[in-house]
Amino acid sequence: EEVELSRQHIVPRSDPTDLDFVDTLNDAFDDIAVSKGYRFRYSFSQQGGEGLVRLGYMEDKKRAAISLVDDNHSEVRYLIVEGESDQTVSEIASALRERLPVIPLAELEETARRNFAQDPKTLIRLAVGSGEREDATAAAIIRQALDHPDRNVRLKAVEAASITQWSSLLPELERKRGEDPDPEVRETAGRALG
């Protein structure tokens, strides 16, 4: 029987080129071990396709796991906090947000709204930072970017919609799969839909 894990995403003020961030994260882990009783240890490193690198940290009593994900393709770094209970995940995620330089959702939304045409990776950060519950503002920004004249913006918007998997964006992905003038955008939308 598969257990449904609770999960939260955190977008730090850091990108994959910031080599000091792992030290900052380890300092946060040390502080959380003392203050909250959750001791995390490095568990694994995993290389994925498309420039993904994931460092895994497991909590000693296996109540939670944290992944540091570097998406070198999109130049985005994020943390995934997972555990069997919402309370544990919320407590750990809150502790990390207090101890790390984190970009709040409102700022991710504003940055993406202002800059997605010049810096399409802001859409990826927005999608990751929005979490699993649909955010109407984030969805509207992604929807707007899906129809941008620049294919690179549309491509990142399709990737962002794929990351969220929000039901309101699935018809938009269907439309992009069938109608976008760029073959790579159509193919990426098709992969996102499965």
Side-chain angles (χ1 to χ4, degrees):
E1 181 181 324
E2 200 166 308
V3 176
E4 182 70 28
L5 293 178
S6 178
R7 179 179 298 122
Q8 285 191 30
H9 292 79
I10 299 169
V11 179
R13 287 189 195 284
S14 173
D15 63 44
T17 63
D18 177 5
L19 302 179
D20 294 331
F21 183 76
V22 173
D23 292 335
T24 304
L25 182 61
N26 283 320
D27 290 345
F29 287 159
D30 291 344
D31 193 33
I32 290 169
V34 171
S35 64
K36 302 287 183 189
Y38 296 106
R39 183 169 308 282
F40 286 90
R41 297 190 195 279
Y42 173 78
S43 178
F44 67 87
S45 176
Q46 182 180 44
Q47 299 269 130
E50 300 276 333
L52 284 177
V53 178
R54 183 173 154 208
L55 300 180
Y57 300 85
M58 182 61 70
E59 195 265 336
D60 277 355
K61 297 177 184 169
K62 305 226 183 318
R63 295 174 287 185
I66 296 174
S67 295
L68 171 61
V69 180
D70 284 341
D71 180 342
N72 293 297
H73 175 69
S74 294
E75 301 172 40
V76 175
R77 169 176 278 165
Y78 55 96
L79 294 161
I80 304 170
V81 182
E82 297 175 299
E84 290 188 15
S85 87
D86 288 343
Q87 180 181 344
T88 298
V89 169
S90 290
E91 187 176 2
I92 293 166
S94 292
L96 286 170
R97 284 185 180 99
E98 290 169 10
R99 290 161 178 82
L100 295 173
V102 172
I103 307 173
L105 179 58
E107 184 178 333
L108 291 168
E109 290 172 342
E110 186 56 31
T111 302
R113 181 185 354 286
R114 275 189 284 113
N115 300 331
F116 73 73
Q118 299 80 23
D119 189 4
K121 71 178 174 268
T122 60
L123 296 165
I124 304 298
R125 278 196 193 104
L126 174 61
V128 170
S130 295
E132 295 182 357
R133 281 192 214 97
E134 185 160 342
D135 180 87
T137 302
I141 294 166
I142 293 168
R143 197 173 288 109
Q144 180 185 2
L146 284 166
D147 289 323
H148 194 273
D150 183 332
R151 72 163 296 279
N152 292 321
V153 173
R154 294 194 313 276
L155 192 56
K156 289 297 181 205
V158 164
E159 290 176 23
S162 173
I163 289 167
T164 68
Q165 288 294 304
W166 295 333
S167 59
S168 74
L169 293 176
L170 295 179
E172 299 293 329
L173 285 173
E174 261 317 328
R175 185 174 59 83
K176 290 279 114 186
R177 176 171 65 180
E179 297 175 10
D180 196 273
D182 186 86
E184 189 177 0
V185 173
R186 289 193 306 269
E187 181 183 317
T188 302
R191 277 198 315 269
L193 291 164

